[in-house]
Amino acid sequence: MARLFSSRQPPSEDLFYETYYSLSQQYPLLLLLLLIVLLGLLALLPVAWASGRELAGDPAFLTTVLCALGGFSLLLVLASREQRLQRWTRPLSGLVWAALLALGHSFLFTGGVVSAWDQVSFFLFVIFTVYAMLPLDMRDAVTAGVTSSLSHLLVLGLYLGPQPDSRPALLPQLAANAVLFLCGNAAGVYHKALMERALRATFREALSSLHSRRRLDTEKKHQEHLLLSILPAYLAQEMKEEIMARLQAGQGSRPESTNNFHSLYVKRHQGVSVLYADIVGFTRLASECSPKELVLMLNELFGKFDQIAKEHECMRIKILGDCYYCVSGLPLSLPDHAINCVRMGLDMCRAIRKLRAATGVDINMRVGVHSGSVLCGVIGLQKWQYDVWSHDVTLANHMEASGVPGRVHITGATLALLAGAYAVEDAAVEHRDPYLRELGEPTYLVIDPWAAEEDEKGTAGGLLSSLEGPKMRPSLLMTRYLESWGAAKPFAHLSHAESPVSTSTPLPEKALSSFSPQWSLDRSRTLRRPDDELDTGDAKFFQVIEQLNSQKQWKQSKDFNPLTLYFREKEMEKEYRLSALPAFKYYAACTFLVFLSNFIIQMLVANRPPALTITYSITFLLFFLLLFICFSEHLTKCVLKGPKMLHWLPTLSVLVATRPGLRVALGTAAILLVFAMAITSLVFLPAASTCPFQAPNVSSMASNLSWELPGSLPLISVPYSMHCCVLGFLSCSLFLHMSFELKLLLLLLWLTASCSVFLHSHAWLSDCLIARLYLGTLDSRPGVLKEPKLMGAVSFFIFFFTLLVLARQNEYYCRLDFLWKKKLRQEQEETETMENLTRLLLENVLPAHVAPQFIGQNRRNEDLYHQSYECVCVLFASVPDFKEFYSESSVNHEGLECLRLLNEIIADFDELLSKPKFSGVEKIKTICSTYMAATGLNATSGQDAQQDAEQSCSHLGTMVEFAVALGSKLDVINKHSFNNFRLRVGLNHGPVVAGVIGAQKPQYDIWGNTVNVASRMESTGVLGKIQVTEETAWALQSLGYTCYSRGIIKVKGKGQLCTYFLNTDLTRTGPPSATLG
């Protein structure tokens, strides 16, 4: 077994369970068994002395008891070291069983005449404890139990077979012994099977709970990472509560509120600096890239910028195409926020200069910085992105737009905060855009002190293009160089080893392989060698397993009262006591088996007077009624075929299983019936009578006397009545889920009744049996081991304490099983909630069809996610009037109330996405008061290319209807807010590239000429109109929509374009020329 634990392969769950079963459950019982045996042996000495026997006069008895005391004491010493010598558990258990068996056989031939009923109760004790208290598997236990039974029967059969005919008939007694042993074995197998089943279930539930707890911890980490990837920490908790409320109210919906407004998570911060940066020349470069190159390039570039931002205590806000902007001074105020932004801008320019020098690609970085105050937070219900708003943010944006490539353009407010840290020069007036000219304030360009030196190094270093060859595309040169920056992949933390373990392997392999037999469970947290230490998950594993140790029931616990084992929470205690018990019918069936055994024994060794026959007939009837009630559900098919008035019968078993009061009443009645019938044969005798074998001159006619008393009661039925009483004790242990206090009450009642009958009211029967057995012998008084009433009483007490120990053990594990099931349910519910929370968070960052690519083990590789599409419809919808509406004054809390209205607009727009007809619409982002969305992104790769162009753009109609719905929503808001906002919408369709970039704040975005043109359609559009390109107009007309020409307009970066306005009436002009599937 040691090799099994020390092998490289971790042991199986079954092997680990067996080790746990031996150490934590059976090991304490083995110690208790040895203690009970030792106490029983010690009790024999005072019992013998109290009965008036001289111990010195019976050397065989004294020697047997003293040798047994020494042997079992040695075994107890060995067993107490068993936790360090676990590999010897099985041999030691066999040694204990062999010692008990040898002790029983020694008792058979010590102290007087050997009889067929001698030590039957002791052997019954050995048989039952082999199953219930020794750490043996079922096969070994059955072998030991059957061997114990056969050894008693064979030894007595061979020894008593040649006895004279004057002795009672041997065969009925051996048959009665066989029935007793068979019942003991059956009860033992039943007890062991149910306990092992319960223990294994508890063990698996504990492991499932551990697995669920680890999954829960992982999900909590995932959702924390996800939340922090969207929001700063100071907003994360508040937003998390919002999501939890949405989960409770129903997926996708928002919780009921006391007002008509959506929650607003925006706060004002003063003393911050805002940096805007744009990559000049990137649009031309991107048009030459493959989708993979584009996404990799953006991820590496912005990943590098994120690293620079982290170094300079700046927080990246958002990525808009190739535009990057961040803030310093959030969420905590920083005195040097302006210096941080300027340093970051200079470092960004240096990084681009190095890139240009190394690759020869003509790109540059334009940076603008302004200092002031901002409103920061999140608006809308979906695709949350932390953002900032204020006039100062708008100014920073214009500073970038009017800046100089390769330079950092700052305002006077930022210059004042630099306190001379950098030299500056005046920016040329011609660089200013109309917004800056209107302000009329001077602006400055920061002089980079390292620029000249870096230019010299860049020129001396040569170009990467000269090494790679003149024919390599610039985009490929860029990609090759940027890969050396090693930016982290988006959501990399979700695919690490923290991912939830597979449900098919709930056991942590490291914990299994580190478990050794020399290491006891209650020492699992002691110090070990540094190279052998367990990780946190494995430590939790051993903590959970240690909680299953039965010795814990005696220690202080937050769940149990160590004395009564009651749950400390009253509600949990009530739930436990009211819980259903489907196995009750099996308890009743096994109790009937004990009753049947008692009946057979009584029929074998006692006469059959009419009163006994009537009594048993009534009892059988009651038991059959009990079994019918318990198993009535199995008769459903038969009952349903009968009269309707009997159709209620199958519900009886359900009532028994679910009604605790009914179960207790029926269980108690069954046990009391077994108790009562065990001594029924004695009830019909007088409480005291004269024994004919104790009369004078009886010895001369001993051979002519029978073994029956007046009233036709055979004397040999007296010890067998005691053995039946022992079976009555066993019947009490068969009800595993019966409460400990009720078992204690019943056992005490039966112990008192049995001792009263055999030691007091009917003690003369035992004396009479001894008188008849020793009639004509020189010594008319046997040793204490041969006197039925004394050995019966000793047996009663031994079984009482043994079954009391088992009852306590059963109670503990029944409650522990209930506790783990409840914990498992709670953790599974919490895990499910966390998984839903993680899913909602991830879908708030990524589209639903992209999110599975980044969930734990579902992630198949470490490549960046990118996807190209042939036909995607892109929408930009803005509320231009909001810029004029927005103001910062004390009346509107410095613009906060204006943002509250914008939040209502965006949130209402987001609510449209939950409608089934807009399920294909994917929100991309919001840019101030501009809403960006797309359709056609959930098509599988290559699917569009395989379909004709007309069919591939069927989703354009969905986008048009969505745009109209946005306008309707805005009209409703206007009505309630007394405003006159109008929507300006631009639509375009064509090929795009989609991908996920950014490790610090992963962001899903789409790029391509289609996106740029759609944006221009909005910016050059007209209020209340939907402007589209000529290609999109033709596609929409093929779907049945009406478009009319606007004419030729000038579009920045595209020249002269012919555009169209869409008729916004949803009623189409006629059937579409091409329907799409």
Side-chain angles (χ1 to χ4, degrees):
M1 187 171 289
R3 290 180 180 177
L4 285 172
F5 280 96
S6 61
S7 62
R8 292 185 179 181
Q9 294 294 328
S12 66
E13 181 180 322
D14 288 338
L15 184 58
F16 191 78
Y17 167 75
E18 292 300 332
T19 306
Y20 145 75
Y21 177 71
S22 297
L23 286 180
S24 70
Q25 202 272 340
Q26 291 292 80
Y27 170 72
L29 289 180
L30 175 61
L31 295 181
L32 289 170
L33 172 62
L34 292 173
L35 283 173
I36 289 171
V37 172
L38 286 172
L39 291 174
L41 289 170
L42 287 172
L44 288 176
L45 298 177
V47 167
W49 176 79
S51 63
R53 292 174 173 83
E54 291 291 336
L55 296 179
D58 193 353
F61 165 74
L62 190 60
T63 303
T64 302
V65 171
L66 292 178
C67 288
L69 282 171
F72 281 100
S73 298
L74 180 61
L75 288 173
L76 182 61
V77 172
L78 289 175
S80 65
R81 301 174 63 84
E82 179 59 14
Q83 287 184 313
R84 298 180 183 175
L85 301 172
Q86 192 271 333
R87 69 183 71 181
W88 302 110
T89 298
R90 188 173 175 183
L92 182 62
S93 301
L95 193 59
V96 171
W97 167 71
L100 288 170
L101 201 60
L103 180 61
H105 284 291
S106 299
F107 283 174
L108 278 175
F109 299 97
T110 302
V113 177
V114 178
S115 303
W117 58 79
D118 277 346
Q119 305 307 319
V120 171
S121 293
F122 184 81
F123 273 78
L124 196 59
F125 171 77
V126 174
I127 291 168
F128 185 72
T129 53
V130 158
Y131 293 99
M133 303 187 77
L134 289 183
L136 298 172
D137 57 30
M138 183 63 81
R139 184 182 61 183
D140 292 340
V142 170
T143 302
V146 172
T147 302
S148 302
S149 307
L150 293 177
S151 68
H152 185 276
L153 294 173
L154 290 174
V155 168
L156 287 183
L158 293 174
Y159 183 80
L160 295 177
Q163 294 295 325
D165 295 336
S166 59
R167 300 294 297 274
L170 180 62
L171 192 58
Q173 295 180 77
L174 292 180
N177 292 350
V179 172
L180 279 162
F181 296 150
L182 181 62
C183 183
N185 277 284
V189 168
Y190 164 87
H191 187 280
K192 188 175 186 68
L194 285 187
M195 279 305 298
E196 283 196 354
R197 181 180 177 185
L199 286 169
R200 188 176 288 274
T202 304
F203 181 75
R204 288 185 178 277
E205 282 156 10
L207 295 184
S208 297
S209 178
L210 170 66
H211 167 61
S212 181
R213 198 173 301 170
R214 294 181 74 176
R215 283 184 60 200
L216 179 60
D217 292 342
T218 304
E219 288 299 331
K220 285 181 178 178
K221 290 178 182 178
H222 283 181
Q223 61 90 3
E224 183 179 352
H225 280 297
L226 283 168
L227 203 56
L228 293 178
S229 73
I230 309 170
L231 310 166
Y234 79 99
L235 264 183
Q237 185 60 37
E238 192 175 359
M239 298 297 285
K240 181 179 176 180
E241 293 174 359
E242 164 75 9
I243 302 176
M244 296 294 287
R246 285 173 60 187
L247 280 174
Q248 293 172 1
Q251 181 178 338
S253 64
R254 63 191 178 104
E256 293 294 329
S257 177
T258 54
N259 55 49
N260 295 323
F261 294 102
H262 295 87
S263 300
L264 180 65
Y265 302 100
V266 176
K267 294 183 179 179
R268 183 171 183 82
H269 283 265
Q270 295 181 337
V272 299
S273 291
V274 184
L275 177 148
Y276 270 82
D278 186 65
I279 304 174
V280 181
F282 187 82
T283 303
R284 182 180 66 256
L285 179 66
S287 64
E288 303 173 2
C289 295
S290 68
K292 182 175 181 179
E293 289 172 349
L294 176 62
V295 174
L296 176 62
M297 196 183 303
L298 288 169
N299 186 71
E300 296 290 340
L301 278 171
F302 294 134
K304 180 67 173 179
F305 296 162
D306 285 345
Q307 292 174 9
I308 296 172
K310 187 176 181 181
E311 291 171 3
H312 296 298
E313 298 182 286
C314 295
M315 177 193 294
R316 189 244 289 174
I317 300 300
K318 196 179 289 187
I319 298 170
L320 303 174
D322 58 353
C323 180
Y324 182 103
Y325 69 100
C326 62
V327 176
S328 181
L330 285 178
L332 300 177
S333 297
L334 297 172
D336 50 357
H337 55 85
I339 295 177
N340 289 341
C341 279
V342 171
R343 284 176 180 170
M344 178 174 175
L346 292 174
D347 282 351
M348 293 170 81
C349 292
R350 289 171 196 154
I352 295 298
R353 280 201 298 270
K354 290 179 181 178
L355 176 62
R356 184 175 63 246
T359 63
V361 177
D362 186 19
I363 63 170
N364 215 326
M365 178 64 73
R366 192 170 58 217
V367 180
V369 179
H370 173 60
S371 302
S373 59
V374 297
L375 291 165
C376 56
V378 174
I379 62 173
L381 300 177
Q382 295 193 20
K383 294 297 185 296
W384 285 332
Q385 289 183 352
Y386 190 70
D387 210 343
V388 291
W389 305 266
S390 71
H391 290 316
D392 291 322
V393 174
T394 304
L395 178 56
N397 189 7
H398 285 281
M399 289 296 293
E400 175 272 314
S402 63
V404 178
R407 303 294 297 275
V408 178
H409 191 198
I410 64 174
T411 61
T414 303
L415 178 63
L417 294 172
L418 292 180
Y422 288 94
V424 298
E425 60 185 5
D426 291 338
V429 178
E430 60 268 17
H431 289 306
R432 298 185 183 181
D433 67 1
Y435 185 87
L436 293 179
R437 290 197 193 99
E438 185 179 344
L439 287 179
E441 294 186 6
T443 59
Y444 308 90
L445 296 174
V446 178
I447 299 174
D448 187 352
W450 304 100
E453 182 179 340
E454 286 179 1
D455 286 342
E456 291 177 4
K457 290 182 180 179
T459 305
L463 297 176
L464 182 64
S465 58
S466 63
L467 299 176
E468 298 288 352
K471 294 184 179 180
M472 183 170 287
R473 290 184 290 110
S475 60
L476 188 56
L477 281 172
M478 281 270 291
T479 304
R480 292 276 182 89
Y481 180 77
L482 289 172
E483 282 181 333
S484 65
W485 285 3
K489 304 292 191 298
F491 301 106
H493 58 277
L494 292 185
S495 55
H496 288 169
E498 294 177 350
S499 300
V501 292
S502 171
T503 54
S504 60
T505 56
L507 283 174
E509 291 188 358
K510 188 174 179 183
L512 281 173
S513 59
S514 64
F515 185 86
S516 63
Q518 289 82 12
W519 190 36
S520 68
L521 290 176
D522 66 340
R523 295 170 182 257
S524 60
R525 285 178 287 182
T526 56
L527 293 176
R528 309 182 71 202
R529 296 191 305 274
D531 59 343
D532 214 15
E533 290 183 356
L534 300 175
D535 61 19
T536 305
D538 297 329
K540 289 182 179 179
F541 170 79
F542 281 108
Q543 291 173 13
V544 169
I545 297 304
E546 189 181 353
Q547 291 178 34
L548 300 177
N549 196 323
S550 63
Q551 299 174 67
K552 286 283 184 181
Q553 62 182 292
W554 305 105
K555 299 178 182 178
Q556 198 67 27
S557 167
K558 65 178 182 180
D559 298 311
F560 301 107
N561 183 308
L563 182 62
T564 63
L565 291 182
Y566 288 0
F567 291 111
R568 295 191 183 277
E569 294 183 15
K570 292 183 179 180
E571 286 299 319
M572 188 180 294
E573 179 67 23
K574 181 180 179 181
E575 186 180 350
Y576 170 74
R577 291 186 177 274
L578 295 178
S579 58
L581 184 59
F584 180 82
K585 54 190 175 186
Y586 303 115
Y587 302 166
C590 202
T591 307
F592 176 72
L593 177 63
V594 174
F595 166 74
L596 187 61
S597 300
N598 278 349
F599 170 74
I600 295 173
I601 293 166
Q602 296 281 2
M603 294 302 103
L604 286 171
V605 299
N607 292 330
R608 305 169 184 81
L612 185 63
T613 304
I614 294 172
T615 305
Y616 266 109
S617 299
I618 295 172
T619 310
F620 265 108
L621 184 63
L622 293 174
F623 259 108
F624 285 144
L625 180 61
L626 172 62
L627 294 177
F628 175 79
I629 292 173
C630 293
F631 287 91
S632 61
E633 62 178 344
H634 298 283
L635 305 174
T636 303
K637 292 183 179 179
C638 298
V639 172
L640 291 179
K641 292 179 181 179
K644 289 186 177 180
M645 60 182 297
L646 299 178
H647 287 185
W648 58 272
L649 289 177
T651 61
L652 291 176
S653 60
V654 178
L655 288 175
V656 172
T658 56
R659 299 292 178 87
L662 186 58
R663 286 201 307 267
V664 169
L666 293 177
T668 305
I671 293 171
L672 291 177
L673 281 176
V674 175
F675 284 172
M677 297 311 294
I679 54 173
T680 301
S681 59
L682 304 181
V683 173
F684 304 106
L685 287 176
S689 182
T690 303
C691 179
F693 309 113
Q694 293 175 334
N697 302 322
V698 128
S699 60
S700 60
M701 49 181 180
S703 60
N704 299 320
L705 292 175
S706 70
W707 287 79
E708 291 187 1
L709 289 174
S712 301
L713 176 69
L715 285 173
I716 60 171
S717 67
V718 175
Y720 283 99
S721 294
M722 297 179 183
H723 301 330
C724 289
C725 289
V726 170
L727 287 183
F729 278 100
L730 288 183
S731 68
C732 194
S733 70
L734 300 178
F735 289 83
L736 297 185
H737 279 75
M738 182 177 283
S739 64
F740 174 75
E741 58 269 24
L742 182 56
K743 284 185 181 178
L744 174 61
L745 181 63
L746 291 173
L747 288 172
L748 273 175
L749 176 65
W750 189 231
L751 178 67
T752 304
S754 301
C755 290
S756 298
V757 169
F758 292 105
L759 290 180
H760 180 62
S761 63
H762 290 74
W764 65 273
L765 292 172
S766 176
D767 298 335
C768 190
L769 176 61
I770 294 299
R772 176 65 185 88
L773 189 61
Y774 288 87
L775 201 60
T777 59
L778 295 175
D779 187 2
S780 61
R781 193 174 191 193
V784 68
L785 296 173
K786 299 294 183 179
E787 188 161 352
K789 64 181 180 181
L790 294 181
M791 284 309 296
V794 171
S795 299
F796 297 155
F797 274 95
I798 288 177
F799 270 92
F800 171 78
F801 288 111
T802 302
L803 296 177
L804 211 57
V805 167
L806 289 175
R808 169 87 182 195
Q809 187 89 342
N810 295 346
E811 175 85 356
Y812 176 67
Y813 274 103
C814 288
R815 289 178 174 273
L816 193 64
D817 180 64
F818 174 82
L819 178 65
W820 279 109
K821 284 180 179 177
K822 188 174 180 65
K823 284 184 176 180
L824 181 59
R825 285 196 303 270
Q826 292 173 344
E827 286 169 357
Q828 285 175 339
E829 290 172 1
E830 192 173 353
T831 301
E832 184 179 352
T833 302
M834 284 297 160
E835 287 174 345
N836 290 334
L837 178 60
T838 302
R839 176 182 53 78
L840 278 179
L841 283 170
L842 201 55
E843 290 179 2
N844 243 324
V845 183
L846 307 174
H849 67 280
V850 178
Q853 301 287 331
F854 297 90
I855 293 291
Q857 296 177 347
N858 291 332
R859 186 161 188 185
R860 295 179 292 275
N861 53 60
E862 290 295 326
D863 290 341
L864 289 165
Y865 173 80
H866 60 86
Q867 185 69 60
S868 60
Y869 298 90
E870 291 302 317
C871 182
V872 170
C873 184
V874 182
L875 170 143
F876 282 85
S878 71
V879 186
D881 298 335
F882 183 80
K883 291 181 180 178
E884 297 179 4
F885 172 78
Y886 179 83
S887 64
E888 296 177 1
S889 64
S890 58
V891 177
N892 61 19
H893 299 93
E894 304 298 329
L896 186 63
E897 296 307 316
C898 297
L899 277 186
R900 189 181 302 279
L901 181 58
L902 179 62
N903 182 55
E904 292 300 311
I905 294 172
I906 301 299
D908 283 358
F909 288 176
D910 286 345
E911 285 179 343
L912 289 173
L913 298 174
S914 61
K915 293 187 176 182
K917 66 177 181 178
F918 298 135
S919 60
V921 179
E922 190 66 47
K923 177 184 177 182
I924 304 299
K925 66 180 78 169
T926 56
I927 308 140
C928 192
S929 60
T930 302
Y931 196 92
M932 179 183 176
T935 57
L937 292 173
N938 52 0
T940 50
S941 178
Q943 177 180 334
D944 293 334
Q946 298 171 7
Q947 299 176 348
D948 60 54
E950 206 171 89
Q951 289 183 332
S952 65
C953 296
S954 62
H955 51 80
L956 267 67
T958 303
M959 184 58 87
V960 169
E961 294 186 13
F962 182 71
V964 173
L966 293 180
S968 300
K969 277 284 186 183
L970 191 59
D971 289 341
V972 174
I973 293 173
N974 285 333
K975 181 179 179 180
H976 290 90
S977 63
F978 306 103
N979 284 297
N980 192 27
F981 295 132
R982 285 186 293 173
L983 209 59
R984 188 174 68 197
V985 180
L987 283 182
N988 189 30
H989 82 286
V992 302
V993 174
V996 180
I997 59 172
Q1000 297 296 324
K1001 289 184 179 181
Q1003 180 176 319
Y1004 178 84
D1005 210 343
I1006 55 177
W1007 304 272
N1009 184 63
T1010 302
V1011 179
N1012 296 334
V1013 173
S1015 176
R1016 299 306 181 194
M1017 289 297 98
E1018 180 274 319
S1019 60
T1020 60
V1022 176
L1023 289 176
K1025 301 287 186 179
I1026 300 176
Q1027 182 173 234
V1028 300
T1029 60
E1030 186 172 9
E1031 294 80 4
T1032 303
W1034 283 108
L1036 288 173
Q1037 284 181 348
S1038 69
L1039 295 176
Y1041 292 95
T1042 303
C1043 298
Y1044 55 93
S1045 176
R1046 179 186 182 185
I1048 303 296
I1049 64 170
K1050 183 180 180 180
V1051 177
K1052 181 181 177 183
K1054 303 300 175 183
Q1056 303 292 323
L1057 289 181
C1058 179
T1059 63
Y1060 290 76
F1061 288 130
L1062 178 70
N1063 187 345
T1064 55
D1065 186 0
L1066 280 182
T1067 305
R1068 301 181 180 184
T1069 58
S1073 59
T1075 57
L1076 302 175

